[in-house]
Amino acid sequence: DAKTTQPPSMDCAEGRAANLPCNHSTISGNEYVYWYRQIHSQGPQYIIHGLKNNETNEMASLIITEDRKSSTLILPHATLRDTAVYYCIGGINQFYFGTGTSLTVIP
Amino acid sequence: DTGVSQNPRHKITKRGQNVTFRCDPISEHNRLYWYRQTLGQGPEFLTYFQNEAQLEKSRLLSDRFSAERPKGSFSTLEIQRTEQGDSAMYLCASSRVTGVGEQYFGPGTRLTVT
């Protein structure tokens, strides 16, 4: 699995887009990028994944750079319930979560 | 789809005692994973199963930790001779083998060793 690097914390105003970056420069060609989030005292929740193309689902959008060395998770209209720790994982087995980015949505 | 369940949700034990946690995965999921999470850290991978086969166990923290999935359905994680450093949240997840295999997590078992 690839090593990932994320900023430890970010703030976002409620209603605005939250853009969470992740570097995964060691990712190999067949390894997906996965995003999970963990709300306090709950188990992590799968958000989205991608390989090469940008992806969108009902929760978020994932933008992957052409060289696949980094990606950005976008929450288009952040709400207070999006306050959580967000983990970016690169790999086939999805084993290594790192310390993630603690996102605080501010009213 | 009833989700991944874990029991108990909380466990308080005295140092030196053995504890066992149970995880029931989503029924059609072949893979089952165990993680440990301490305060301020992300989940730390421990081991995983595909059906009843334990495919990776080198990350189990010591020989006091063991896991089983005897019939390829539920799994148990046992910690023998608990130590205060074992206090943590123990998370279970399951996934399909096919597709991208995103993991679905249970609520966790919080262990406190006194």
Side-chain angles (χ1 to χ4, degrees):
Chain A
D1 287 6
K3 177 177 170 55
T4 60
T5 305
Q6 299 177 256
S9 64
M10 293 181 63
D11 292 338
C12 177
E14 188 178 17
R16 303 296 294 268
N19 297 283
L20 293 95
C22 178
N23 288 324
H24 33 78
S25 57
T26 62
I27 200 167
S28 62
N30 62 344
E31 291 182 322
Y32 284 87
V33 178
Y34 299 85
W35 284 82
Y36 289 77
R37 73 179 182 184
Q38 187 172 25
I39 296 170
H40 183 61
S41 297
Q42 298 181 20
Q45 176 191 23
Y46 164 79
I47 301 173
I48 198 168
H49 70 274
L51 185 61
K52 295 181 181 179
N53 300 321
N54 299 336
E55 303 288 345
T56 296
N57 64 19
E58 65 277 6
M59 292 183 67
S61 295
L62 175 61
I63 308 297
I64 302 174
T65 58
E66 191 169 346
D67 63 8
R68 300 206 337 115
K69 292 185 177 181
S70 66
S71 61
T72 301
L73 180 75
I74 301 172
L75 308 177
H77 306 286
T79 71
L80 299 179
R81 289 176 300 203
D82 292 322
T83 292
V85 178
Y86 288 77
Y87 297 100
C88 165
I89 304 168
I92 295 173
N93 293 317
Q94 309 169 65
F95 292 159
Y96 304 111
F97 277 69
T99 53
T101 296
S102 178
L103 174 70
T104 302
V105 180
I106 302 169
Chain B
D1 181 353
T2 58
V4 178
S5 62
Q6 294 187 245
N7 288 288
R9 294 291 308 277
H10 303 274
K11 178 71 176 178
I12 300 173
T13 191
K14 293 184 177 180
R15 188 176 53 188
Q17 297 295 305
N18 299 343
V19 294
T20 300
F21 309 139
R22 175 176 172 130
C23 172
D24 287 89
I26 293 171
S27 58
E28 64 267 27
H29 285 183
N30 304 94
R31 286 191 174 174
L32 185 148
Y33 311 77
W34 285 100
Y35 294 83
R36 182 181 80 159
Q37 187 171 28
T38 54
L39 196 62
Q41 301 297 312
E44 177 186 12
F45 170 74
L46 297 178
T47 188
Y48 87 105
F49 295 84
Q50 183 164 313
N51 299 314
E52 64 274 13
Q54 191 172 10
L55 298 187
E56 174 61 64
K57 56 182 179 180
S58 64
R59 296 285 179 168
L60 284 169
L61 300 163
S62 76
D63 58 7
R64 297 185 297 107
F65 288 72
S66 63
E68 293 183 342
R69 194 183 184 197
K71 296 183 179 180
S73 57
F74 73 91
S75 175
T76 57
L77 178 69
E78 181 182 17
I79 308 174
Q80 297 182 329
R81 305 181 302 280
T82 53
E83 303 172 356
Q84 286 188 322
D86 297 331
S87 295
M89 176 74 83
Y90 290 85
L91 293 161
C92 174
S94 69
S95 73
R96 291 185 177 89
V97 174
T98 56
V100 295
E102 66 271 19
Q103 296 178 60
Y104 293 83
F105 282 80
T109 294
R110 181 164 296 283
L111 173 66
T112 302
V113 181
T114 61

